[in-house]
């Protein structure tokens, strides 16, 4: 930002800036300041808001708040049940999306040739990334809850025993989130694969390796950390989304065991669960006379979770850039 | 893009000898390599997964909506603001989505009016002016902003921004005057501070730390002036007297900036939703426009500098025209995000199914309607199917925006190649 203050130059200097140039330079400096102001407007109020949320949440933040289950519709107690729900939701969606997304990226980067099909796939990736989350929710409702579950129930469930029926739950919500995250992971994995120099592949082929051998032994190991960064970003997105799980398995409240193994493995994949983002939605809009501090507490924990996951991804990327050898 | 593998057919070679050559290369194979063919098949299938997914989304939503398509009065749907899905006994339900569509586009418009200048300005600063640590920090902050989930934005709108907006706009007229005073004071302090700082503080500053400290001070002062001087504003109000604010208030009402009767009855309204959506779409616009600016070859910048242009002229006369399509695409994707956003607008726009008449009227968007009503409908009812039709409308709009922006960017790539 050091813009030379040309005014102090002596006037007999043949290289002195003219009045016009000085004015121009001043205008340029001003515009630069305005743009910096935009950055400040973007950053400073948000930092203040986040600090405000954490300050208002401070009275409840403790390990008990994380480790205890919500009591009395979330008015008391902690956040354990939704946190565990979010954890399993993330794991479930990763199980579906990670292999498919990485394979799709491999296809796009290593196999696909320029042409209409490839073009259609890239357009589909961007379009899928832009589909609103509520439309994903409708899709999950139509395809998984109303399409897949009845089919499963017809084969598996005992018609006389309603407890053996599969309900909308972890499975359907994970699938919905997985479809939503597919373009995210494809884009980032493709970027990671594309960063491996073409010479590596050519060297491998010249040693007689087939295409898949090259991918397995050269391309994937060299891009693994980049792919990992993409997966972490997917995790953060899956943990924060609310709309897609609204009708596909998340429920307002669920009481889970307070101790023993059932506290760590509370949900079966075929029954409704509670998640962090859903919990925040419920306690901030659906319950009257909710103590403010509980709302701020849930928001603070969710923000902290997401920022932690993302900082981890950023840190990984910075570390990677430092030790890249090509 | 994929390079042909040596195993592919060479010129003057028949298929069988190519296969033999391929087989020779696979002598030292383990299980993974023996499965090469099936794995390739799986990879191909996964490669098409996005197309399959997109088609499946349309198919399944359409399947749920289909029985309603011939039954729905489409003209009524697009022209009537009367959305009464569950009327009182004996009345016909009315599915008029005009207010919802207007609500969606009104919030999107306000969001874009804020986020496009903000996002482009910040992108230009990050891409062209910021250096070293400042640049890295800003990029990381923008990335973290993009990661904050929509429900948290909604929460901020509901709990933090909403009360603020309500304070500023409520109790008929006076506080509108207050916000002008406040922003004016903030601006004045900022403008005064900048030359003072330039002259005395960092002209001879040795380290970048000093410079960064000065910037932070100014930014904090600006924001504090804007948000913190509310009491001063109202005291000034008392001092000047009521007639000025009354006159100002009537102008505001005429300009449709404040509703006539009661000010902002609730903090969650069109303006709050628009600001929240703007903050949500800014990170996307910043990162995409920054990519577009970085894609302009350095030779363009060097040529501009060689002609004697200063950095700002380079940006305005050279980089903006060169990156025009990329910037446009960034704004369009920001718009797509604002249209499709659900949880934030569900919490932050208030719930009022009317065409907004003023900036601080509560509105309702298509996405929020689906999210709020889907849980309460009977599966298979007309209401339920109409919500799916709203979903199709949303899907078509956002897909159109995305494909259009994709085509615009591709246009840029072709132009660069030529």
């Amino acid at each position: 930002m050091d813009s030379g203050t040309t005014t102090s130059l002596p006037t007999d200097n043949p290289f002195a800036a003219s009045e016009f140039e000085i004015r121009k330079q001043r205008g340029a400096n001003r515009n630069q300041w305005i743009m910096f102001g935009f950055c400040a407007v973007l950053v400073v109020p948000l930092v203040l808001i986040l600090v405000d949320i954490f300050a208002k949440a401070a009275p409840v933040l403790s390990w008990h708040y994380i480790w205890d289950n919500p009591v009395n519709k979330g008015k008391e107690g902690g956040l354990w049940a939704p946190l565990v729900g979010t954890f399993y939701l993330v794991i479930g969606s990763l199980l579906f999306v990670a292999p498919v997304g990485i394979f799709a990226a491999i296809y796009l980067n290593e196999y696909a040739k320029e042409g209409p099909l490839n073009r259609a796939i890239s357009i589909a990736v961007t379009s899928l990334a832009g589909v609103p989350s509520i439309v994903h929710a409708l899709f999950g409702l139509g395809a998984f809850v109303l399409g897949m579950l009845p089919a499963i129930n017809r084969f598996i469930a005992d018609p006389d025993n309603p407890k053996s029926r599969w309900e909308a739950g972890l499975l359907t919500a994970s699938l919905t989130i997985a479809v939503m995250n597919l373009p995210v992971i494809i884009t980032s994995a493709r970027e990671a694969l594309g960063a491996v120099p073409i010479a590596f592949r050519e060297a491998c082929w010249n040693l007689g390796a087939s295409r898949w051998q090259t991918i397995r032994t050269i391309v994937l190991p060299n891009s693994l950390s980049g792919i990992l960064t993409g997966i972490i970003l997917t995790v953060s997105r899956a943990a924060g989304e609310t709309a897609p799980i609204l009708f596909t398995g998340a429920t307002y409240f669920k009481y889970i065991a307070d101790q023993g193994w059932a506290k760590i493995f509370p949900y079966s994949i075929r029954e409704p669960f509670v998640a962090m983002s859903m919990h925040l939605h419920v306690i901030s809009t659906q319950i009257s006379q909710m103590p403010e501090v509980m709302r701020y507490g849930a928001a603070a924990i969710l923000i902290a979770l997401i920022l932690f996951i993302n900082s981890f991804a950023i840190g990984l990327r910075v570390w990677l850039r430092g030790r890249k050898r090509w | 893009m994929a390079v042909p593998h040596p195993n592919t057919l060479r010129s003057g070679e028949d298929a069988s000898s190519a296969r033999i050559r391929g087989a020779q290369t696979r002598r030292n194979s383990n299980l993974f390599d023996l499965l090469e063919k099936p794995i390739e098949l799986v990879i191909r299938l996964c490669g098409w997964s996005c197309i399959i997914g997109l088609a499946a989304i349309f198919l399944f939503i359409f399947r749920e909506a289909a029985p309603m398509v011939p039954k729905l009065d489409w003209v009524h749907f697009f022209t009537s603001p009367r959305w009464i899905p569950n009327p009182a006994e004996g009345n016909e339900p009315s599915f008029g989505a005009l207010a919802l569509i207007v609500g969606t586009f009104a919030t999107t418009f306000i969001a874009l009016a804020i986020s496009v200048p903000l996002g482009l300005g910040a992108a230009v600063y990050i891409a062209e002016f910021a250096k070293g640590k400042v640049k890295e920090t800003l990029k990381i902050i923008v990335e973290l902003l993009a990661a904050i989930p929509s429900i948290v934005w909604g929460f901020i709108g509901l709990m933090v921004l909403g009360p603020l907006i309500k304070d500023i706009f409520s109790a008929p007229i006076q506080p509108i005057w207050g916000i002008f005073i406040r922003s004016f004071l903030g601006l004045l302090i900022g403008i005064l501070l900048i030359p003072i700082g330039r002259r005395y503080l960092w002209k001879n500053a040795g380290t970048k730390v000093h410079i960064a400290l000065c910037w932070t001070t100014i930014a904090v002062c600006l924001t504090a002036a804007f948000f913190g001087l509310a009491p001063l504003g109202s005291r000034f109000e008392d001092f000047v007297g009521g007639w000025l604010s009354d006159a100002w208030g009537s102008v505001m009402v005429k300009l449709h900036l404040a509703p006539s009767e009661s000010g902002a009855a609730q903090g969650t309204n069109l303006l709050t939703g628009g600001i929240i959506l703007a903050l949500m779409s800014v990170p996307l616009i910043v990162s995409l426009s920054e990519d577009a600016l970085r894609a302009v070859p350095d030779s363009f910048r060097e040529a501009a500098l060689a002609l004697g242009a200063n950095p700002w002229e380079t940006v305005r006369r050279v980089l903006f025209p060169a990156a025009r399509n990329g910037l446009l695409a960034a704004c369009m994707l920001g718009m797509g995000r604002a249209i499709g956003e659900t949880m934030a607008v569900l919490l932050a726009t208030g719930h009022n199914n009317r065409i907004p008449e003023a900036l601080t009227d509560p509105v309702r968007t298509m996405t929020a309607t689906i999210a709020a009503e889907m849980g309460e409908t009977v599966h298979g009812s007309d209401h339920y199917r109409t919500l799916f039709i709203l979903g199709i409308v949303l899907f078509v709009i956002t897909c159109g925006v995305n494909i259009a922006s994709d085509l615009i960017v591709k246009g840029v790539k072709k132009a660069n190649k030529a």
Side-chain angles (χ1 to χ4, degrees), chain A residues 1 5 24-25 28-29 31-33 35-36 38-46 48-50 52-53 100 103-104 106-114 117-121 123-128 130-136 138-139 141-143 146-147 179 182 186 190 198 205 208-213 216 236 240-243 246-247 277 280-281 284-285 292 295-296 299 302-303 306-307 310-311 314 317 321, chain B residues 1-7 25-26 28-30 32-33 36 39-40 42-44 46-51 53-54 56-57 60-61 63-64 117-118 121-122 124-126 129 136 138 140-145 147-153 155-156 158-160 194 198 202 215 219 223 227 279 282 286 308 310 312-313 340 342-343 346-347 367 370-371 374-375 379 384 387-388 391 394-395 398-399 402-403 406-407 410:
Chain A
M1 286 296 281
T5 41
K24 215 173 68 173
Q25 185 63 41
N29 289 347
N31 290 330
Q32 205 168 326
W33 274 108
M35 281 181 298
F36 176 73
F38 284 170
C39 284
V41 165
L42 197 62
V43 171
V44 176
L46 275 165
L48 289 183
I49 286 175
L50 292 189
D52 181 51
I53 289 178
V100 175
F103 276 155
I106 290 176
Y107 174 77
L108 287 173
N109 203 55
E110 309 287 326
Y111 286 89
K113 300 181 184 70
E114 285 279 7
L117 178 67
N118 191 28
R119 184 93 178 76
I121 291 178
I123 289 186
V125 173
T126 42
S127 303
L128 197 59
V131 168
S133 49
I134 192 71
V135 173
H136 279 294
L138 292 180
F139 166 64
L141 179 64
L146 300 173
V179 173
L182 194 58
I186 289 180
R190 196 179 173 183
I198 200 80
W205 294 338
S210 71
R211 201 177 266 286
W212 167 244
Q213 279 173 324
R216 190 171 64 79
S236 107
E241 275 298 338
T242 317
L246 267 178
F247 336 119
S277 51
L280 177 59
H281 171 56
S284 52
T285 59
E292 291 251 307
R295 293 179 177 171
Y296 279 104
L302 183 58
I303 294 171
I306 299 288
L307 290 188
N310 275 276
S311 317
I314 291 171
R317 205 178 46 212
R321 213 188 295 148
Chain B
M1 198 38 61
V3 176
H5 184 264
N7 270 11
T25 64
R26 279 193 291 265
N28 300 326
S29 51
N30 64 14
F32 275 121
D33 300 330
E36 168 143 1
I39 285 177
E40 274 189 14
V42 171
I43 287 178
R44 257 165 227 285
C46 290
W48 299 331
S49 59
C50 268
I51 294 185
L54 211 57
I57 288 178
F60 277 102
I61 296 181
R63 199 186 73 161
E64 293 300 317
L118 210 63
V124 167
Y125 185 79
I126 292 174
F129 294 105
E136 288 302 310
L138 283 174
I140 286 176
I141 289 178
V142 166
E143 197 173 319
L144 288 180
L145 283 185
I148 293 181
S150 59
I151 184 73
V152 171
W153 285 115
F155 181 82
I156 291 174
L158 184 71
M159 305 290 288
V160 183
I194 288 168
R198 266 170 67 186
W202 66 84
W215 289 357
T223 341
F227 288 111
L279 291 175
V282 154
V286 170
N310 61 33
W312 171 247
E313 283 172 323
T342 311
M343 295 319 285
L346 179 65
L347 265 63
T367 48
I370 300 175
M374 184 55 90
H379 282 203
Y384 167 86
L387 289 178
F388 272 93
L394 269 173
F395 181 74
T398 46
C399 270
N402 277 293
I403 291 174
D406 193 66
L407 292 178
K410 287 282 147 47

Side-chain angles (χ1 to χ4, degrees), chain B residues 107 110-111 114 153 161 165 270-280:
Chain B
T107 40
I110 291 176
I114 300 168
W153 285 115
L161 192 62
I165 299 264
L270 179 58
L271 182 64
T272 317
I275 294 175
I276 288 292
L277 278 186
L279 291 175
M280 289 186 73

Side-chain angles (χ1 to χ4, degrees), chain A residues 247-320:
Chain A
F247 336 119
T248 56
T251 181
Y252 282 8
F253 296 105
K254 190 168 179 75
Y255 292 99
I256 66 170
D258 240 339
Q259 51 199 341
W261 286 107
K263 187 171 182 179
I264 302 173
F265 304 105
Y267 305 112
S268 126
I269 60 168
R270 53 175 208 185
E271 57 183 348
F273 65 103
V274 284
M276 215 32 231
S277 51
M278 190 69 182
H279 186 73
L280 177 59
H281 171 56
V282 170
I283 65 173
S284 52
T285 59
Q286 307 291 327
I287 312 293
S288 56
Q289 299 182 343
M290 172 65 63
E292 291 251 307
V293 69
M294 297 303 281
R295 293 179 177 171
Y296 279 104
I301 295 286
L302 183 58
I303 294 171
L305 186 72
I306 299 288
L307 290 188
F308 174 73
I309 296 171
N310 275 276
S311 317
F312 192 68
I314 291 171
L316 187 67
R317 205 178 46 212
V318 170
W319 180 71
L320 270 177

Side-chain angles (χ1 to χ4, degrees), chain B residues 61-403:
Chain B
I61 296 181
F62 193 76
R63 199 186 73 161
E64 293 300 317
M68 195 63 195
V69 172
K71 263 172 39 185
L72 187 68
D73 183 353
W74 285 91
V75 177
H76 185 74
F77 182 74
F78 281 114
T79 55
S80 161
R82 284 164 49 82
W83 178 267
I84 309 168
N86 301 311
E89 282 291 314
N91 292 343
E92 281 285 296
S94 160
F95 297 109
L98 183 65
L100 310 178
I101 296 170
V102 169
T104 293
F105 282 101
T107 40
T108 307
F109 177 76
I110 291 176
L112 284 184
I114 300 168
S115 64
V116 165
L118 210 63
L120 290 186
V124 167
Y125 185 79
I126 292 174
E128 300 297 325
F129 294 105
K131 288 185 187 67
K133 282 258 155 62
V134 179
K135 182 173 179 163
E136 288 302 310
T137 317
L138 283 174
K139 281 174 88 164
I140 286 176
I141 289 178
V142 166
E143 197 173 319
L144 288 180
L145 283 185
I148 293 181
S150 59
I151 184 73
V152 171
W153 285 115
F155 181 82
I156 291 174
L158 184 71
M159 305 290 288
V160 183
L161 192 62
L164 201 70
I165 299 264
K166 190 179 174 186
D167 268 3
I168 292 168
F169 283 86
S170 63
I173 289 138
Q174 167 243 10
I176 288 206
W177 184 226
I179 193 181
F180 275 87
I181 293 177
R182 260 179 274 171
S183 48
F184 179 70
L185 277 176
L187 226 63
L188 205 70
I189 292 173
I191 291 169
L192 281 177
L193 273 177
I194 288 168
I196 293 174
R198 266 170 67 186
R199 191 147 307 154
Y200 298 110
L201 286 179
W202 66 84
K203 193 177 151 200
N204 301 316
T207 59
K208 286 184 176 168
V209 181
H210 277 126
I211 302 179
L213 269 177
C214 294
W215 289 357
T216 328
T217 320
I218 287 176
V220 169
C221 283
L222 268 171
T223 341
F226 189 79
F227 288 111
L229 294 182
L232 197 61
S234 47
R235 216 168 293 153
F236 186 75
E237 173 76 15
D238 296 341
F239 179 70
V240 171
W243 65 272
L244 194 56
S245 64
D246 281 356
W248 183 251
S250 62
V251 170
M252 285 288 117
V253 172
K254 286 248 164 59
L255 292 175
H256 292 276
L257 283 176
S260 45
E261 66 276 19
S262 63
Q266 58 190 91
T268 51
N269 52 39
L270 179 58
L271 182 64
T272 317
I275 294 175
I276 288 292
L277 278 186
L279 291 175
M280 289 186 73
S281 47
V282 154
L284 188 70
I285 294 181
V286 170
S287 60
L288 290 173
S289 338
E290 200 212 327
D291 286 347
L293 286 171
R294 218 170 9 161
V296 177
D298 270 345
S299 57
F300 282 39
R301 294 183 185 83
E302 285 154 12
L305 287 179
L307 288 171
N310 61 33
W312 171 247
E313 283 172 323
T314 315
V315 167
R316 208 184 65 157
R317 300 277 166 85
V318 178
L319 295 183
F320 271 169
R324 195 183 51 213
N325 285 9
L327 299 178
L328 186 62
C331 297
M332 286 181 70
L333 286 177
M335 183 171 101
R337 174 146 195 207
I339 290 177
E341 188 42 57
T342 311
M343 295 319 285
V345 292
L346 179 65
L347 265 63
T349 56
H351 243 38
N352 193 354
N353 185 22
R354 267 177 39 210
I355 294 181
E357 285 163 6
L359 199 59
T360 49
D361 273 352
V363 291
R364 195 170 195 191
T365 65
M366 293 192 270
T367 48
T369 306
I370 300 175
E373 293 180 0
M374 184 55 90
E376 296 159 6
T377 57
V378 185
H379 282 203
S381 64
D382 282 358
H383 182 200
Y384 167 86
R385 301 207 185 284
T386 314
L387 289 178
F388 272 93
I389 288 182
L390 271 184
I392 293 181
V393 172
L394 269 173
F395 181 74
V396 169
I397 293 175
T398 46
C399 270
V401 168
N402 277 293
I403 291 174

